[in-house]
Amino acid sequence: MSNEPSRAKLTAYATPGGAGVQHSRSVNHTENNAVRQLDAQDKPTEHLGEDPDPELLDWALSLSLLPDSGSGATGPPPDPLSTTPSTTGEPGSTGERSHPGATALTDPTETDTPADTDVIGIEVTGTDAAVVRGRRVRFGRRRGTPVVAALALLTAVVLGLGGICIAQVVQDHHLDSMRISAIVVAERQTMNLMNVNSANVGPQLDAIRGGTTGEFQRQLFGVQDTFSKVIQQGKIDSTGRVVKAAITSLTPDAAKVLLAVSGTVANAESPQPQQRRYRIGVDLKYSDGNWLVSGMEFIP
Amino acid sequence: MSKRAYSTAADERSTEARATTNPGTDPESAAVSGAHAREAGRSVGQWFSRARGVGEAHPRLLLGTWTALLLFVVTGVGLLGWQHHLHNQAEEARQQATEAATAAVPDVLSYNYRTIDDDLARAKTHLTGDFARQFGQLTSQIVAPQAVQGQITTRAEIAATSVVEAVPNRVVELLFVNQTTQGLNLPQPRVDGSRLVLTMEKVNNQWLIQNLEPI
């Protein structure tokens, strides 16, 4: 039986602590464990008229591990114990009716020394039996409590999982929206740069300025004046539209977007607009909640 | 035990009755907000004890309601989990389909007129669906004869890849491809830059080209 070792341990621990409380009997008997255990088997007969079988007691104890045992019925009645004078120090025997399970289950374990068992139950709770017994007392008050406990546990688990799932889905959504916003910004900035002519080149470049960053910003606005001059002198009229946009890579703070852009170009030499097909790669950096263009290239 | 719970519920009810009468009779307006707060606290307590009372009186009702709510939440959590699972798979699909496309497109669009049959057979291993059939017709009826006649060799290289959209079993890619072509009529190798939209499909755990369209 699984409780056998724990019981032996209990009795071994019990005597030194409980010696004062315990009657002279235990002191008389003891010098070694064997004697103590003999003692333990002897006492029930003299102590309680009921004489519970040790096997039965073990069984009752093992039953206490089960969540739902009609302990009141199987265990010995609490009355004999509570009336015996030797159990003065035991809380379980102080007449609390709400703890019938406690008396019923503590008493069979060490029928001989009820006072000791309680010392053990509180101080030497390293043993499973004692802990489970303590819990059993509280849970056993209401019928259906195991069901409630199971439901509560399930609820906790489900809510925990739910929290994790929500966090994951929020993260997924964030990833998707980052992708979309990167593409949108890349398209807008590219269109600003592609749709230029002698009339709007100034305002277009101003519109782009805020949405760029780093080296690209410096380069672009280093050549801003030259760029404007070329557009105006060459009477360049460029148009473009995004045929397809897609994302190459995305990290929390950077993205690369490919754009298939088709458009027309006309200039002073050939005023008739000519069809053009561009392959454009746009690098973006994420800063302060916005995507900024950090590079733009025509892919050869 | 249950009797005691009943009595506490009854007590709470009576305190509730007192609480509702108190603020009205209390002349001090400053104390009203405090009274409200206390009342609120009390009413929450009452709600709990009432719920407890109901639970004690009708344990099956309480457990049933609880279980129903739990099932509802479980369903919601399951749906969220499924959504996350699909998203994860789509993320994987992006990567896998891009790798597959990078490997497949050069195979599909490159050939040497000397080994044209092998090349086209190899190309077809990367294709699926109607497109595989159409591509087979196009190459065998038009491309292969002209390739042999013009001694054409062409080589496709990927310049850049990107993903337009992805779901677990289907990914649309935008590829920039450079095609270098040589032949009898081309004294200098000609380089074309193309923009291809590829639809990749996962067939038997393998990513295949379901459509390929220049734009």
Side-chain angles (χ1 to χ4, degrees):
Chain A
M1 283 246 133
S2 61
N3 288 310
E4 199 58 37
S6 69
R7 207 216 301 191
K9 217 187 285 173
L10 288 181
T11 44
Y13 276 113
T15 337
V21 188
Q22 189 51 25
H23 322 284
S24 53
R25 252 181 296 158
S26 68
V27 180
N28 290 340
H29 279 294
T30 57
E31 287 312 313
N32 59 46
N33 282 344
V35 176
R36 259 177 242 149
Q37 277 176 343
L38 278 175
D39 187 22
Q41 282 171 355
D42 288 346
K43 272 175 200 165
T45 49
E46 29 182 89
H47 222 263
L48 319 161
E50 308 284 322
D51 185 19
D53 185 1
E55 295 292 325
L56 236 166
L57 296 179
D58 276 332
W59 182 59
L61 194 69
S62 72
L63 267 184
S64 77
L65 295 167
L66 297 172
D68 190 16
S69 61
S71 55
T74 54
D79 286 352
L81 234 170
S82 58
T83 48
T84 43
S86 64
T87 60
T88 42
E90 187 184 3
S93 66
T94 51
E96 280 189 20
R97 275 171 205 151
S98 56
H99 293 258
T103 46
L105 288 161
T106 45
D107 107 22
T109 345
E110 303 89 7
T111 13
D112 52 328
T113 58
D116 288 347
T117 59
D118 222 61
V119 171
I120 294 154
I122 294 161
E123 294 185 0
V124 201
T125 47
T127 58
D128 293 352
V131 176
V132 172
R133 232 179 298 142
R135 243 179 234 161
R136 178 69 186 84
V137 173
R138 260 178 283 124
F139 279 176
R141 291 165 113 183
R142 267 176 230 139
R143 220 181 266 168
T145 310
V147 181
V148 173
L151 263 179
L153 188 69
L154 256 178
T155 308
V157 169
V158 166
L159 289 182
L161 278 176
I164 294 170
C165 280
I166 287 173
Q168 301 269 29
V169 169
V170 165
Q171 207 179 324
D172 293 346
H173 189 260
H174 176 68
L175 195 67
D176 289 342
S177 63
M178 286 282 274
R179 250 186 215 120
I180 292 168
S181 61
I183 290 176
V184 166
V185 168
E187 285 186 14
R188 191 178 62 226
Q189 290 294 74
T190 307
M191 286 302 95
N192 282 339
L193 209 57
M194 296 293 295
N195 289 291
V196 287
N197 53 47
S198 50
N200 73 359
V201 62
Q204 286 291 80
L205 285 174
D206 287 341
I208 294 165
R209 185 195 294 272
T212 57
T213 184
E215 187 65 22
F216 178 68
Q217 190 175 48
R218 253 172 281 137
Q219 282 176 3
L220 188 67
F221 293 101
V223 299
Q224 183 174 5
D225 292 339
T226 322
F227 187 79
S228 300
K229 214 174 280 175
V230 167
I231 298 279
Q232 279 163 345
Q233 287 176 355
K235 291 186 177 164
I236 291 169
D237 187 351
S238 165
T239 66
R241 66 185 171 85
V242 176
V243 179
K244 208 83 179 174
I247 196 129
T248 297
S249 65
L250 179 79
T251 64
D253 55 0
K256 186 172 180 72
V257 173
L258 295 190
L259 300 171
V261 175
S262 291
T264 58
V265 176
N267 55 34
E269 289 175 11
S270 55
Q272 198 65 25
Q274 292 183 338
Q275 296 289 327
R276 291 284 169 86
R277 291 144 75 89
Y278 305 101
R279 306 193 301 186
I280 297 172
V282 182
D283 291 303
L284 301 121
K285 289 246 184 307
Y286 196 71
S287 105
D288 293 335
N290 288 308
W291 285 112
L292 301 172
V293 175
S294 61
M296 197 183 282
E297 56 168 343
F298 290 93
I299 294 173
Chain B
M1 195 58 220
S2 59
K3 268 184 195 166
R4 207 186 296 167
Y6 275 135
S7 63
T8 54
D11 288 347
E12 295 286 354
R13 245 171 265 139
S14 60
T15 54
E16 180 191 22
R18 258 177 274 137
T20 47
T21 53
N22 270 349
T25 53
D26 196 13
E28 289 181 36
S29 59
V32 168
S33 62
H36 274 301
R38 257 177 280 127
E39 210 182 326
R42 225 176 282 149
S43 67
V44 169
Q46 281 163 7
W47 189 87
F48 267 113
S49 58
R50 254 188 220 169
R52 207 173 130 191
V54 170
E56 302 257 345
H58 313 282
R60 274 160 197 256
L61 180 71
L62 181 74
L63 288 182
T65 313
W66 190 351
T67 309
L69 278 174
L70 193 60
L71 282 177
F72 184 73
V73 175
V74 164
T75 313
V77 171
L79 285 175
L80 283 179
W82 180 245
Q83 205 180 327
H84 176 59
H85 175 68
L86 287 184
H87 193 273
N88 263 357
Q89 287 205 318
E91 291 296 312
E92 264 179 46
R94 277 174 186 271
Q95 193 135 15
Q96 293 173 354
T98 304
E99 283 171 19
T102 307
V105 166
D107 265 3
V108 173
L109 297 181
S110 304
Y111 61 80
N112 186 319
Y113 70 97
R114 293 189 195 90
T115 56
I116 183 91
D117 291 336
D118 290 348
D119 294 342
L120 295 180
R122 194 187 57 230
K124 282 186 84 173
T125 63
H126 295 287
L127 312 177
T128 183
D130 275 356
F131 180 70
R133 194 171 42 77
Q134 290 163 6
F135 186 83
Q137 281 178 2
L138 173 81
T139 49
S140 62
Q141 290 171 16
I142 295 164
V143 178
Q146 289 193 9
V148 173
Q149 197 185 345
Q151 298 188 6
I152 297 170
T153 298
T154 185
R155 201 178 73 246
E157 283 176 341
I158 305 277
T161 65
S162 59
V163 176
V164 180
E165 58 187 37
V167 291
N169 286 319
R170 191 171 165 278
V171 176
V172 178
E173 305 248 352
L174 172 64
L175 301 189
F176 295 164
V177 175
N178 293 334
Q179 190 99 22
T180 310
T181 310
Q182 286 172 293
L184 279 182
N185 300 332
L186 298 167
Q188 294 289 321
R190 199 181 83 191
V191 179
D192 291 316
S194 64
R195 312 178 300 191
L196 302 178
V197 173
L198 256 78
T199 304
M200 304 292 290
E201 208 171 50
K202 199 177 186 183
V203 181
N204 295 331
N205 227 22
Q206 201 183 356
W207 286 97
L208 300 173
I209 298 170
Q210 194 245 318
N211 197 21
L212 189 156
E213 190 182 355
I215 56 169

